[in-house]
Every structure is written in structure tokens, then in C-alpha cells.
Amino acid sequence: MEVPIFLQRILQSSLWSPAAFVAAAVFATALADWAIGLNLSLGALYVIPILVAGAVYSRLTIVLLSILCSSLRIAFGNAASLAEASLNFLLVMSA
């Protein structure tokens, strides 16, 4: 399987370029999730910055990023109860 060219360029550059991409992707996903509201869930898009970070950064950084993305997902998501939101958070963190 071949890696897309834009992703190769991001991964082959310095450590700041992937950080900028990850930050922009998290921000764009959170902004879109907030703008759409409760009509549609964009939770799956939070995986993209985590995957890019997984190719470059340490395990601790990936865990912290996944906590951030999970928290944003809960904040902008449409969970019916606190129990459902907690379960979603635990499932994301276990992945």
C-alpha cells in the first residue's frame, strides 16, 4: 500500500510540520463538529490527526492527543447521557 504524497511530505519534514498538520486537523475537525452541532457526528474524523501523530511522535504524545480528541468529541457530540459519553471516551482510549 502506497502512502499518499502529501502525507509523505509531512512525515519526512521536521517535527514542527507534523505538529502543525495535527493541530490544524484537530482544530478543523472540532470547528466543523461544533458548526454542525447535534445533527451529524464527525467523531471519526478525529482519528486522522491521531494516525499522523502515531507515525512521528512518542506513545505519551499520542495518548495525550487521543485524550484531547476524545474530550472534544464528548463536548461537541450528541451523547444521550453521561454514562454514554463516558463509555465512548473509554472505548476511544482503549483503541
Side-chain angles (χ1 to χ4, degrees):
M1 186 170 136
E2 190 172 325
V3 177
I5 294 174
F6 80 94
L7 193 54
Q8 287 178 356
R9 289 182 182 163
I10 290 171
L11 295 176
Q12 291 174 352
S13 62
S14 69
L15 286 178
W16 288 107
S17 184
F21 176 80
V22 167
V26 169
F27 178 76
T29 303
L31 184 65
D33 208 4
W34 170 78
I36 290 175
L38 300 178
N39 298 329
L40 182 67
S41 173
L42 298 178
L45 293 179
Y46 288 107
V47 172
I48 296 169
I50 295 172
L51 289 175
V52 171
V56 178
Y57 297 111
S58 69
R59 187 172 295 168
L60 176 64
T61 306
I62 298 164
V63 168
L64 293 174
L65 181 63
S66 64
I67 290 172
L68 172 67
C69 290
S70 297
S71 300
L72 289 171
R73 169 71 180 98
I74 289 171
F76 299 129
N78 55 356
S81 66
L82 180 62
E84 183 180 351
S86 300
L87 183 61
N88 287 338
F89 183 82
L90 289 175
L91 288 173
V92 169
M93 291 307 301
S94 67

